[in-house]
Amino acid sequence: MKISLRAGERVYINGAVLRVDRKVSLELVNDVMFLLEGQVMQASDATTAMRQLYFIVQLMLMNPTDIAAAASLYAQHHTALLAVCESREMLDGLAAIDEMVGGTRYFEALKRIRALFPLEEAILAGATSESPIKAA
C-alpha cells in the first residue's frame, strides 16, 4: 500500500502518530492499521449515533494494543443501534459493520459506517419523536 502525504499532514499507523514536514510518499510493505488525518473524526464531531459508532471504531483502529474499553463501548453502542433502527438498509449495514469489527477489519468498517451517514441524515431529517434512529 502506497500513501502520499502533504507537508504537515499526519498519518496514524498502529497507534503511532506520524507527522511529515514535507511532501512524502510512504509504502507500507506489511499489514498495518492506519488512518489518514482527513479520515480522523474528532470527538466533538461525533454528534449522531452513526458518527459515535465511527468514533468508537476509530479508537479501536488507532490504538490496537489496548482496545478492551473501546470494544466494550462498541458492543453497547452497536446493540443500542440495533434496538432502535427500523431501516432494513441500516440494519444490513450494522450487521456488515459488526462482522468487519469482529474480524478486526476496522478500516473497512469505518468506510461502511461513512457510507451510512447519508442514510442516517435522511432518517434524522424526517425524524419525529419516534425516530428510527436517535443520537445516543
Side-chain angles (χ1 to χ4, degrees):
M1 162 79 55
K2 191 171 187 175
I3 57 176
S4 296
L5 302 170
R6 295 181 302 267
E9 196 170 15
R10 292 184 180 114
V11 62
Y12 302 80
I13 301 175
N14 284 356
V17 181
L18 305 171
R19 186 174 61 81
V20 297
D21 62 355
R22 66 190 75 135
K23 184 177 177 182
V24 66
S25 291
L26 299 173
E27 184 175 359
L28 305 174
V29 295
N30 63 342
D31 200 17
V32 298
M33 291 190 212
F34 74 94
L35 269 181
L36 298 174
E37 185 173 15
Q39 299 165 325
V40 174
M41 180 180 290
Q42 299 302 313
S44 60
D45 295 327
T47 56
T48 67
M50 289 306 292
R51 289 177 183 278
Q52 290 166 0
L53 189 67
Y54 184 97
F55 187 79
I56 294 164
V57 175
Q58 172 185 286
L59 292 175
M60 296 167 79
L61 187 146
M62 291 174 76
N63 193 4
T65 59
D66 183 24
I67 65 163
S72 175
L73 187 58
Y74 167 82
Q76 293 170 5
H77 196 73
H78 187 269
T79 300
L81 279 170
L82 288 174
V84 298
C85 284
E86 296 175 354
S87 162
R88 174 54 42 205
E89 186 178 351
M90 188 66 78
L91 290 169
D92 290 347
L94 288 169
I97 291 161
D98 198 46
E99 185 177 312
M100 291 170 197
V101 168
T104 66
R105 297 183 348 247
Y106 305 128
F107 187 78
E108 291 175 55
L110 291 175
K111 284 174 47 176
R112 187 69 172 99
I113 295 168
R114 277 193 309 270
L116 291 174
F117 286 171
L119 176 59
E120 180 186 41
E121 288 172 18
I123 291 169
L124 292 174
T128 65
S129 61
E130 297 176 336
S131 170
I133 293 183
K134 296 177 181 124

